[in-house]
Amino acid sequence: MRPLLALFLRAMREDVRSKGTYLLRAGLVLLILFFLWVTHMQARWTGAVGRNFFSGVLWIDLFIISVAGLGYFASAITEEKEDGTLGLLRMTDLNALAILLGKSTGRLVGALFLLAAQIPFALVAVTMGGVSVGQILAGYGCLLSFTFLLANVGLLASVVCRRSTAAAVLAGGAVAALILVPALIGWMQAEFARQFPILASLAADRFIAAWWELTPIARLTTILRTGFSGAPLDAQALASVAVGLACFALAWLLFEPCTQRALDGNETGSARRLRRSARSDGLGPAAVAAKEFRTLGGSGMTFIKILTTIFTTGVLCAEASRHRVSTEGIGAALFFTSGAVLLVFLSIDAGRVFRLERQQKTLASL
């Protein structure tokens, strides 16, 4: 077992000794305190204060896990491909399983600890009323199982793809399909039944409903209802763990052919970036800006972001019109969602500005 877990134990030691780990956990706890303050300010004119407080924490956690977690998990193997160090790992006695456990499971455990650090503080909602201990345990059980699913979907995308950007897009598309497709099909099915009542019986109502119940959005909605008395883990958690294990097994099977294809006859990430930078017309700020634009995804990533924005806006407007939400409500939801997404993506891009220069020690020459 020692060779199998060598890379995993090394990753865990680095995580434990890093200051950023504890700063991030403290930041999530401060997020809970912020929601506690907001709930206190609204306590005079709202009921079920504890449930409102816990609901805000859960939905923000789900959003942060879905957006930031994909980029974090999807770079487990691709960062080694981009830096040209995957061949060095394969020259050691570490097999494919040891590399996957070391590169992905260490990140997964760190992410699970981030969520676990919130549980003692979230229990304050019980004393505020409107929520029980069972609801809190069920809510975090849903988030932990969904994090396990995200980690392994990101690992599979990282094994298949050659770049972190492509892996994050692939993993994000897969997770979005798992969550949004049943909602979109349900809406189309309702419109289809409204236009053609005779053919409405052909639609697979039960299948779509069962699929939707396995998503974290439906599970959290059920948990936050008044009088919830279900188990901490249900079909959604078991399905997330099962799909996550299947993705890990598939990544294990595809590791050898995918990494061998990436190494044979292909230039390293540093040479590829140097070649792309050499294509820039001239030198100076324009060349540096063009190089950074390509590093952050280029035209392809920009096009994907635009399509994602159009799709998300369309789904939100369709659901709002279905539930007869006012135009002001739709605008407020779009405004809040756009601000939150903009904050997350700007934070990620800002953190990558000098990452390559620091790794390759080229900042001084630049």
Side-chain angles (χ1 to χ4, degrees):
M1 295 295 293
R2 181 173 295 179
L4 183 64
L5 300 178
L7 198 58
F8 169 73
L9 294 177
R10 176 179 177 273
M12 291 302 301
R13 291 192 186 100
E14 291 180 351
D15 186 66
V16 169
R17 296 169 183 173
S18 174
K19 295 181 181 179
T21 301
Y22 303 98
L23 291 176
L24 187 56
R25 293 177 187 174
L28 290 178
V29 173
L30 289 177
L31 180 64
I32 290 184
L33 295 180
F34 171 75
F35 276 101
L36 186 62
W37 175 75
V38 172
T39 306
H40 172 70
M41 299 299 294
Q42 298 176 350
R44 298 179 181 179
W45 59 82
T46 58
V49 180
R51 187 178 61 185
N52 295 336
F53 161 66
F54 183 58
S55 174
V57 172
L58 281 186
W59 290 118
I60 289 296
D61 281 345
L62 180 63
F63 175 78
I64 294 176
I65 291 172
S66 302
V67 176
L70 286 174
Y72 179 63
F73 294 125
S75 61
I77 305 298
T78 52
E79 65 180 8
E80 302 293 341
K81 296 179 182 179
E82 292 175 347
D83 295 337
T85 56
L86 185 60
L88 298 177
L89 281 178
R90 299 193 59 182
M91 289 174 60
T92 63
D93 292 334
L94 301 176
N95 55 23
L97 182 59
I99 295 176
L100 292 177
L101 286 176
K103 298 295 295 182
S104 68
T105 310
R107 299 187 180 197
L108 173 62
V109 173
L112 296 181
F113 282 159
L114 287 176
L115 290 175
Q118 292 186 351
I119 297 179
F121 300 92
L123 290 173
V124 177
V126 178
T127 63
M128 300 166 63
V131 67
S132 63
V133 177
Q135 287 177 289
I136 293 177
L137 296 179
Y140 278 99
C142 173
L143 293 180
L144 292 174
S145 60
F146 183 62
T147 304
F148 182 83
L149 172 63
L150 284 181
N152 289 281
V153 170
L155 175 65
L156 178 59
S158 183
V159 170
V160 174
C161 298
R162 298 182 181 180
R163 299 188 62 189
S164 299
T165 303
V169 171
L170 178 61
V175 174
L178 291 175
I179 297 177
L180 297 180
V181 165
L184 182 61
I185 293 178
W187 173 75
M188 295 175 60
Q189 178 184 357
E191 294 295 327
F192 178 79
R194 187 181 306 171
Q195 298 294 331
F196 305 97
I198 298 177
L199 303 177
S201 59
L202 298 178
D205 292 338
R206 296 181 180 179
F207 175 74
I208 298 302
W211 186 357
W212 174 249
E213 290 298 324
L214 296 179
T215 62
I217 298 177
R219 173 61 174 168
L220 292 182
T221 303
T222 303
I223 291 173
L224 294 173
R225 290 174 182 170
T226 304
F228 173 81
S229 59
L233 301 177
D234 73 331
Q236 177 271 328
L238 297 179
S240 298
V241 173
V243 174
L245 291 176
C247 290
F248 184 87
L250 187 58
W252 187 10
L253 292 175
L254 296 178
F255 182 82
E256 291 293 339
C258 289
T259 54
Q260 189 64 38
R261 183 182 59 188
L263 292 175
D264 291 345
N266 290 309
E267 55 192 352
T268 62
S270 301
R272 183 170 58 252
R273 284 188 290 271
L274 183 62
R275 176 176 54 82
R276 289 181 177 178
S277 300
R279 287 186 194 163
S280 301
D281 297 331
L283 299 174
V288 176
K291 175 253 183 186
E292 290 301 318
F293 179 68
R294 286 190 296 269
T295 302
L296 295 177
S299 303
M301 189 62 184
T302 304
F303 182 69
I304 291 174
K305 288 180 181 180
I306 293 175
L307 289 182
T308 304
T309 303
I310 295 174
F311 176 76
T312 306
T313 305
V315 172
L316 185 59
C317 292
E319 287 295 319
S321 63
R322 179 183 176 186
H323 296 285
R324 296 191 174 127
V325 180
S326 63
T327 306
E328 291 78 5
I330 298 176
L334 288 174
F335 186 80
F336 175 79
T337 305
S338 301
V341 172
L342 181 65
L343 178 63
V344 172
F345 275 102
L346 284 180
S347 301
I348 295 175
D349 291 342
R352 298 171 57 185
V353 170
F354 294 108
R355 180 174 64 89
L356 294 177
E357 280 72 17
R358 288 180 179 273
Q359 289 180 348
Q360 301 170 11
K361 298 183 177 9
T362 57
L363 188 59
S365 59
L366 180 64

